[in-house]
Amino acid sequence: MILGFGILTLQLLQRHNKLLQAALSSGILQLVGTDHCTFNSTQKAFGAYDFRKIPNGVNGIEERMHIIWDSMVETGKITVTDYVRVTSTECAKIFNIYPRKGAILEGSDADIIILNPKRSFAMGARTHHSRSDTSVYEGRKGKGMVEVTISRGRVVWEDGNLNAVPGAGRYVRTPPFGYLFDGLDKSDAVYRASLRAPVRRGEAAAA
Ligand SMILES: *[C@@H]1O[C@H](CO)[C@@H](O)[C@H](O)[C@H]1NC(C)=O
């Protein structure tokens, strides 16, 4: 029974993977983020006999750029330009901080990565930088490695070394009413009008 359930789940996950990747390459899904929140094996074990007590979250902030490059660009599902869009530009637009973020332009923050498409990666708890002895990507291999990360013009990651300075981070305000809200007042009005429409009980009953 348990084995059967396991196989079914894996098939379902693979199907979900395919559908999500198709949605990302067609633009139905606009971007990929993470809900990075790691817990180690001791913390996860709180839910060993009651799944409701499992602390919710996995690693992802360090893996995101590599996973997307390997599964989407390396396989030809999206272009390099799409990669920039789904990892950065669209995110900045939705948070309403474009073009300060999400673009390489005069006046924008110089947040830039240099990714080597020829270099391979192997993910796991022994090599990742999260303070956790587990990784949801344990054993995941692929191509595409970020070699340099520049944050607001400062090199903060190079040759496997983190050069971040505590306190150098800056809070970025996200103004309200990003483009996702464009036209919302109109569609709201249509929706509200639909609520006032009389319910035709006779028709519904006859149907
Ligand atoms: C997990 O983290 C908790 C809290 O910091 C710590 O007490 C525990 O020893 C850790 N477990 C492992 C396996 O690292």
Side-chain angles (χ1 to χ4, degrees):
M1 274 302 280
I2 287 168
L3 185 65
F5 180 69
I7 289 167
L8 180 69
T9 306
L10 187 62
Q11 280 175 348
L12 267 179
L13 281 177
Q14 283 167 351
R15 198 172 125 74
H16 286 183
N17 270 351
K18 268 193 163 172
L19 292 172
L20 286 169
Q21 289 178 4
L24 189 62
S25 57
S26 67
I28 291 173
L29 277 183
Q30 289 158 296
L31 61 94
V32 182
T34 79
D35 186 15
H36 179 91
C37 188
T38 55
F39 292 99
N40 66 28
S41 55
T42 315
Q43 293 163 326
K44 288 283 188 189
F46 282 130
Y49 300 104
D50 182 349
F51 74 89
R52 294 169 303 177
K53 292 180 182 159
I54 303 174
N56 178 25
V58 297
N59 53 308
I61 205 163
E62 169 179 355
E63 292 82 2
R64 180 182 75 117
M65 299 298 273
H66 301 127
I67 294 279
I68 302 169
W69 181 275
D70 183 62
S71 53
M72 301 303 292
V73 184
E74 183 66 20
T75 57
K77 293 192 181 86
I78 62 171
T79 65
V80 178
T81 311
D82 291 331
Y83 178 75
V84 175
R85 179 172 52 76
V86 304
T87 57
S88 306
T89 315
E90 197 60 35
C91 181
K93 284 182 178 172
I94 287 175
F95 279 126
N96 217 3
I97 49 176
Y98 181 89
R100 176 177 166 192
K101 300 286 184 187
I104 301 176
L105 291 171
E106 194 181 330
S108 299
D109 285 352
D111 299 330
I112 298 165
I113 62 155
I114 300 173
L115 183 144
N116 183 344
K118 296 204 176 93
R119 237 173 94 180
S120 308
F121 64 77
M123 292 172 173
R126 281 195 311 121
T127 49
H128 70 191
H129 297 80
S130 291
R131 203 184 302 158
S132 173
D133 62 338
T134 65
S135 168
V136 76
Y137 297 109
E138 194 66 49
R140 175 75 161 79
K141 292 189 171 88
K143 276 180 98 181
M145 271 287 265
V146 175
E147 293 187 333
V148 178
T149 304
I150 300 167
S151 169
R152 296 194 346 265
R154 281 200 58 241
V155 176
V156 292
W157 172 261
E158 191 174 17
D159 299 329
N161 294 314
L162 185 66
N163 307 315
V165 178
R170 285 290 166 270
Y171 181 75
V172 179
R173 283 183 192 284
T174 54
F177 305 115
Y179 84 92
L180 289 182
F181 294 90
D182 285 355
L184 211 59
D185 48 343
K186 283 183 191 157
S187 58
D188 259 6
V190 171
Y191 174 67
R192 279 197 303 273
S194 80
L195 293 181
R196 282 195 296 270
V199 178
R200 292 177 191 170
R201 295 188 192 282
E203 267 173 39

